[in-house]
């Protein structure tokens, strides 16, 4: 039986845990999935748009599970001025997340144009903070969910040219074109890749809202490009699960189903399965544990648990929680060939 004891737990650079009851349900699954560093997304309702909001949110997360290092990012909006950036840096906030208006869950307050934010980006560059980009253009005119990411890539390149020292992460990239664009940018530009986009293509979500997320999974060639990038050992590509829990009642809606796939509980196991399937399990630790930490230059607590990935079957549970607020995990009821086990130190 193949077993890999990771030299340190997984760092997941794109995590949605929400707030309130959902937060209490989901936060304990961060550790279960093998993760000790979680980069927490700010698209709450209302969004996290001030330093005090982010600091208070971090305290609520710590109250649920204090063994995780929570890295915080602010939701880009007109409130995020250069002054707020300087204040955020002092408060230990890591980055700023930019959602184009209307492209995904809770993005109503997102940006319509990047130009007004140039002074904010300049301040971030000066403070060495990270800009997280949801890389899609809104579906207007000739743009639709399948080309929304590719249409965004000139904006990525433009921002990189204007702010060459600003560290930028193209979040949850889903296309061969996005992989290529990130490769063409300098070392300050990286991308996260999710677990589910290593499995899914368009056929898996057309007709199945549980596999529907933004950006949507694309074509088989795109998935192949993601697997190639993730398993390449190139440190520009690292793990960000974009695990995004939604109550089952909101996923079961035929029309207007929420976008987001929940992978947190078995995060490292899904990834190990794909890497192993292409003969690249030796590359999994770099992708899951090393490259993201290096890019972010993070400070973290000493991990309080170890993580072992084992090649043995595990059935993905049908449900996390109960009642209308329960969450359906990715590949619910299916058998995965890998498991993740944590052990307290
Ligand atoms: C995310 C969510 O549910 O918050 N949904 C998703 O489809 N990925 C938001 C996001 O990252 O786009
Ligand atoms: Zn997300």
């Amino acid at each position: 039986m193949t077993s890999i004891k990771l030299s340190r737990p997984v760092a997941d650079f794109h995590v949605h845990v929400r707030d309130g009851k959902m937060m209490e349900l989901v936060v304990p699954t961060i550790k279960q999935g093998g993760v000790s560093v979680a980069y927490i997304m700010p698209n709450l309702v209302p969004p996290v748009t001030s330093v005090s909001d982010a600091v208070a949110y971090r305290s609520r997360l710590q109250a649920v599970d204090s063994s995780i290092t929570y890295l915080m990012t602010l939701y880009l909006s007109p409130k995020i001025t250069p002054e707020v950036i300087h204040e955020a840096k002092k408060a230990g906030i890591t980055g700023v997340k930019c959602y184009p208006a209307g492209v995904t869950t809770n993005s109503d307050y997102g940006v319509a144009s990047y130009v007004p934010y140039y002074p904010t980006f300049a301040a971030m560059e000066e403070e060495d903070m990270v800009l997280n980009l949801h890389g899609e253009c809104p579906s207007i005119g000739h743009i639709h969910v399948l080309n929304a990411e590719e249409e965004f890539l000139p904006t990525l390149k433009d921002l990189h040219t204007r702010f060459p020292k600003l560290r930028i992460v193209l979040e949850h990239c889903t296309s061969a074109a996005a992989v290529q664009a990130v490769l063409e940018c300098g070392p300050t530009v990286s991308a996260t890749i999710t677990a589910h986009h290593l499995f899914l293509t368009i056929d898996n979500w057309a007709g199945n809202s549980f596999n529907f997320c933004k950006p949507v999974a694309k074509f088989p060639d795109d998935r192949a490009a993601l697997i190639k990038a993730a398993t390449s050992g190139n440190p520009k590509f690292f793990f960000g699960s974009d695990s995004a829990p939604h109550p089952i009642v909101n996923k079961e809606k035929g029309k207007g189903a929420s976008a987001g796939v929940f992978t947190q509980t078995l995060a490292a196991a899904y990834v190990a399965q794909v890497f192993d399937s292409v003969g690249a399990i030796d590359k999994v630790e770099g992708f899951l544990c090393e490259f993201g930490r290096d890019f972010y230059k993070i400070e973290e607590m000493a991990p309080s648990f170890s993580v072992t990935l084992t090649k043995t079957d595990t059935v993905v549970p049908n449900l996390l929680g109960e009642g209308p607020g329960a969450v359906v995990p990715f590949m619910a009821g299916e058998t995965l060939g890998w498991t993740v086990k944590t052990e307290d130190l």
Side-chain angles (χ1 to χ4, degrees), residues 64 81 110 121 124 126 154 177 223 226 251 272 298 307 322 330 333:
V64 183
T81 59
F121 297 155
M124 289 175 64
E126 188 191 322
R223 187 182 67 151
L226 296 180
K251 289 298 273 179
I298 60 164
V307 179
E322 46 195 41
F330 178 52

Side-chain angles (χ1 to χ4, degrees), residues 14 16 18 41 43 97 99 103-106 134 136 171-172 196-197 212-215 242-246 251 258-261:
H14 191 130
H16 298 269
R18 320 301 185 198
M41 287 296 136
N43 60 333
K97 173 76 186 276
Y99 291 95
V103 296
T104 187
T105 303
N106 303 338
H134 182 115
E136 288 191 292
E171 296 296 331
H172 41 48
H196 53 281
H197 287 115
F212 170 58
C213 65
K214 294 298 299 295
D242 190 22
S243 174
H246 289 277
K251 289 298 273 179
S258 301
V261 170

